[in-house]
Amino acid sequence: MFQFTSGQGWQIGRIFGIPIVIHVSWLLVFAFVTWTLATAYLPAALPGQSGPRYWAMGGMAALLLFLSVLLHELGHCWVALRYHVPIGQITLFVFGGVAHMKKEPPTPKAEFLIAIAGPIVSFGLGAACLGFGIVNDLAGLRPDLHGLTVLGWLLGTVNLQIGLFNLIPGFPLDGGRALRAGLWAWSKDFYAATRRSAVAGLAFGVLLSCLGGSLMLGAGLHLLEASLITTGMWVAMIGLFLFATAKGTRQQAVFRETLARVTVSELVTPSVISVPAALTIESAVKGYFLPHGFSGFPVMEQDRLVGMVTVQDLQRLPQTLWPWREVRNVMRPWSAEMEIAAGASALHALEQMGMASLDRLIVRQDGRIVGVLTRSAVWRYLNLRTQGRSSSTVDPPQAA
Ligand SMILES: [Zn+2]
């Protein structure tokens, strides 16, 4: 299970309420797998068929392979949901699939079970498909069913490979997550466990890249079979990808640890300026947004907090209507997720902003509003604190 930054994709449906998204890169690998199966694998395994039949079977097998990947991810999701870890979406992309968990698992045990659920599904599917292939082979089924036997062997082998590959103990692969769960349970330090298992991910990334490179070199020099060039290329690419994601994970762990150790009260902008709900938008712009320079304000009505209004909320309304509409018409009405206690951690605040799609929270202390915490104030702090620890400026951490 990889971490994956979002990109272009199409949602093809929902399972357990989770959107299933196909990334553009998936189309490339789908075409590549179909082509390999139709032109090389199937003609060798199942001789004497017509070209179009190979292509049709190749396409079907490629679809079933991706269904296998989807089932692997759904295995993770099923356990994650039982532990109340929300899943943003499942993405299928060039290197397989990823389930985006919206927060970290609550305990090492939960993390371990979520991590191994995927490989367990893959091993189960692999055993079932191989079993089907073996039984068919032994029973000497009718030759017209031989195609199904070949498919059983193919799907069985690939599912076992998916299960085994994901057990490599380097974060963010499933094995690396299981490793983190173990380190976490042992050291009681989630962040140190994340950093260590990400270092293992870096190491396996380098190892796979070298292995892939050697395969390509060996095949290029005719020391190995020529077909190993493609295998080597895939292994090297996966190695590089693992290295890059593990590096990102390690950096994220540093950021998250930094934010977990600072409280909201240390980063709050002590602005208790609020906008009256009955004010026209025109007056709010002239009297609050322009002079104070903030891009959002709490909205009050008779000393009661009733919502929050931001520049984006104003922009949704044509300017010609600004003198005629009141702040209450465009504000986001109050909800519990708009507020955070001054004593909460900045990490908690950031996660709350992510879940509620807000870029500021109203900070309360002893029942009183003491100011606003903005996303940019959190970034600023992170940039100051992590300077020198990373070569570039800080990118917004993802919600797990
Ligand atoms: Zn997985």
Side-chain angles (χ1 to χ4, degrees), residues 283-302:
S283 315
V285 170
K286 283 192 180 141
Y288 291 86
F289 283 89
L290 292 177
H292 294 293
F294 297 129
S295 52
F297 294 89
V299 182
M300 303 289 275
E301 188 162 33
Q302 291 162 354

Side-chain angles (χ1 to χ4, degrees), residues 1-2 72-73 76 97 114-115 117-119 122 162 166 172-174 177:
M1 191 164 63
F2 288 111
H72 171 110
E73 295 308 327
H76 291 304
I114 294 169
S122 296
I162 292 174
N166 276 288
L173 292 172
D174 298 335
R177 286 178 185 273

Side-chain angles (χ1 to χ4, degrees), residues 50-364:
S50 69
R53 200 174 148 81
Y54 283 136
W55 280 97
M57 284 183 71
M60 201 175 73
L63 275 182
L64 288 172
L65 285 176
F66 282 102
L67 183 67
S68 305
V69 174
L70 181 59
L71 288 171
H72 171 110
E73 295 308 327
L74 285 171
H76 291 304
C77 295
W78 188 72
V79 181
L81 291 177
R82 292 183 77 90
Y83 280 102
H84 306 289
V85 176
I87 310 286
Q89 65 178 54
I90 291 176
T91 312
L92 296 178
F93 72 117
V94 65
F95 296 122
V98 57
H100 306 257
M101 285 192 278
K102 282 180 132 176
K103 61 179 195 191
E104 302 287 3
T107 59
K109 184 183 164 200
E111 160 109 273
F112 179 77
L113 293 177
I114 294 169
I116 59 161
I120 286 177
V121 169
S122 296
F123 288 134
L125 284 172
C129 292
L130 278 185
F132 174 81
I134 290 168
V135 167
N136 269 8
D137 263 352
L138 287 180
L141 273 183
R142 306 198 316 266
D144 51 323
L145 285 181
H146 188 54
L148 281 179
T149 314
V150 168
L151 196 63
W153 278 103
L154 173 70
L155 286 174
T157 325
V158 174
N159 270 297
L160 290 187
Q161 283 169 352
I162 292 174
L164 281 175
F165 171 73
N166 276 288
L167 284 183
I168 291 177
F171 202 90
L173 292 172
D174 298 335
R177 286 178 185 273
L179 174 67
R180 175 169 80 169
L183 291 170
W184 180 11
W186 174 64
S187 69
K188 308 274 182 275
D189 185 339
F190 175 77
Y191 298 106
T194 306
R195 283 200 311 271
R196 287 188 189 123
S197 51
V199 169
L202 289 176
F204 279 107
V206 172
L207 210 68
L208 284 176
S209 306
C210 292
L211 178 69
S214 315
L215 285 178
M216 285 164 72
L217 190 69
L221 295 173
H222 304 294
L223 299 170
L224 297 167
E225 217 180 300
S227 66
L228 284 175
I229 282 207
T230 345
T231 314
M233 214 166 72
W234 272 110
V235 172
M237 268 164 57
I238 289 173
L240 288 175
F241 183 76
L242 178 58
F243 182 85
T245 40
K247 191 163 167 256
T249 304
R250 199 177 59 152
Q251 202 174 40
Q252 294 263 335
V254 172
F255 295 163
R256 294 176 71 85
E257 190 172 6
T258 309
L259 290 182
R261 294 197 170 141
V262 62
T263 61
V264 167
S265 61
E266 293 170 72
L267 305 180
V268 66
T269 309
S271 116
V272 274
I273 305 164
S274 56
V275 179
L279 203 63
T280 65
I281 292 167
E282 184 72 28
S283 315
V285 170
K286 283 192 180 141
Y288 291 86
F289 283 89
L290 292 177
H292 294 293
F294 297 129
S295 52
F297 294 89
V299 182
M300 303 289 275
E301 188 162 33
Q302 291 162 354
D303 292 337
R304 208 164 49 85
L305 181 66
V306 291
M308 192 146 50
V309 66
T310 64
V311 171
Q312 286 91 333
D313 298 327
L314 305 182
Q315 282 169 337
R316 255 177 256 129
L317 200 70
Q319 280 198 30
T320 47
L321 291 176
W322 284 9
W324 314 105
R325 293 282 191 280
E326 293 175 357
V327 168
R328 72 170 99 238
N329 304 129
V330 296
M331 69 178 192
R332 271 180 81 140
W334 184 89
S335 63
E337 60 197 2
M338 255 176 207
E339 292 190 13
I340 188 137
S345 75
L347 181 64
H348 182 90
L350 204 59
E351 282 174 346
Q352 190 171 324
M353 287 183 204
M355 299 271 257
S357 314
L358 291 167
D359 62 359
R360 61 197 57 234
L361 296 175
I362 295 162
V363 182
R364 247 188 224 277

